Amino acid sequence: MIRMLLLLMLLLTSNTLMADVRQQLESFLDGLKTLKAEFSQELINTETDQVSHSRGVFYLSRPERFRWVYEGEYPRYIIADGKTIWLVEEDIQQVSQRSQKAALEGTPASLFASALDLDKDFEIKDLGQRMGMGWLKLIPKKEDSQFEQILLAFEGDKLARMEMADRFGQVSRFDFFNLQRNPPLDDSLFRFVPPPGYDILDQ
């Protein structure tokens, strides 16, 4: 009984309970213009239990622009310039391009990059508190969305984790740290011109 009372007191004094998790998401997005965060990523194949790991840096400039930089032996990056998404693989000198509007619809990237009507695009469920974070489940309303569900976890007004389950049996889990809200970011981060000699693929 004493243990349960101590746990209850801890929960009641946690600042993450000052608002429900939906309000934490709205607080995070309110006034957000730019964002920089480091991330670690796990990609899990639920059919084979194979797990791959990667790290990098995420840059966001609202509206509609972002850059994911994956570090490591085979660095690659993804740039959204407002019209086109570019996937750049420098080690093999290859670039894939796709219409940004078509690629991002109903995805977490559209949630953070644009001022969306959340309830129009997602069914939102407040999952409450676990592991010291407030959790939301977002289920895309479009039947042809590539994702089955998206989980967002907040510590106060900071995004701490994102988990995405797609329709191909893969789960992507991102942990964010060293998050900077509204830092100055150079516009060149969100521009890309394919270098000479690169193969360009349309998706």
Side-chain angles (χ1 to χ4, degrees):
M1 178 63 72
I2 293 176
R3 184 179 178 184
M4 290 298 295
L5 288 174
L6 290 174
L7 178 60
L8 179 60
M9 291 174 64
L10 177 64
L11 290 174
L12 289 175
T13 54
S14 171
N15 60 8
T16 59
L17 292 182
M18 293 174 61
D20 62 29
V21 187
R22 169 66 182 262
Q23 288 177 317
Q24 287 177 273
L25 171 60
E26 293 177 349
S27 176
F28 173 76
L29 295 175
D30 185 36
L32 183 65
K33 296 180 180 178
T34 62
L35 186 72
K36 178 182 178 181
E38 298 175 46
F39 67 87
S40 61
Q41 179 183 356
E42 289 184 331
L43 180 61
I44 305 165
N45 188 315
T46 58
E47 295 182 355
T48 64
D49 292 328
Q50 183 178 0
V51 181
S52 61
H53 300 268
S54 55
R55 298 177 65 89
V57 184
F58 171 55
Y59 304 89
L60 172 70
S61 179
R62 302 181 85 192
E64 307 294 346
R65 301 188 301 169
F66 61 83
R67 182 185 185 108
W68 290 88
V69 179
Y70 285 88
E71 302 167 346
E73 183 178 0
Y74 301 107
R76 63 192 189 280
Y77 49 96
I78 302 169
I79 299 174
D81 61 16
K83 295 181 179 179
T84 303
I85 288 187
W86 306 89
L87 170 59
V88 185
E89 299 173 272
E90 291 184 334
D91 57 311
I92 59 174
Q93 295 190 335
Q94 179 174 289
V95 178
S96 301
Q97 63 176 349
R98 188 178 179 188
S99 163
Q100 183 168 327
K101 182 178 180 181
L104 297 189
E105 195 169 12
T107 70
S110 67
L111 172 67
F112 298 123
S114 307
L116 293 178
D117 181 346
L118 295 175
D119 295 297
K120 178 182 177 182
D121 293 287
F122 300 96
E123 177 186 349
I124 302 175
K125 296 183 179 181
D126 189 328
L127 302 181
Q129 304 288 321
R130 57 186 174 93
M131 297 187 293
M133 297 178 285
W135 290 79
L136 282 179
K137 178 190 287 187
L138 280 63
I139 302 174
K141 290 185 175 180
K142 285 196 65 175
E143 293 184 359
D144 59 350
S145 172
Q146 59 184 304
F147 295 101
E148 292 185 342
Q149 68 175 33
I150 301 156
L151 299 180
L152 302 176
F154 292 87
E155 292 179 339
D157 61 353
K158 291 186 177 180
L159 178 66
R161 177 175 290 183
M162 178 170 64
E163 298 182 10
M164 304 179 296
D166 65 25
R167 300 188 183 278
F168 307 101
Q170 291 187 326
V171 176
S172 297
R173 178 180 298 138
F174 295 86
D175 287 297
F176 298 98
F177 48 98
N178 294 333
L179 189 146
Q180 300 175 42
R181 183 182 177 87
N182 292 331
L185 296 178
D186 196 299
D187 280 349
S188 63
L189 287 169
F190 312 104
R191 294 196 297 264
F192 179 74
V193 177
Y198 273 52
D199 294 326
I200 302 176
L201 308 177
D202 291 318
Q203 294 186 341

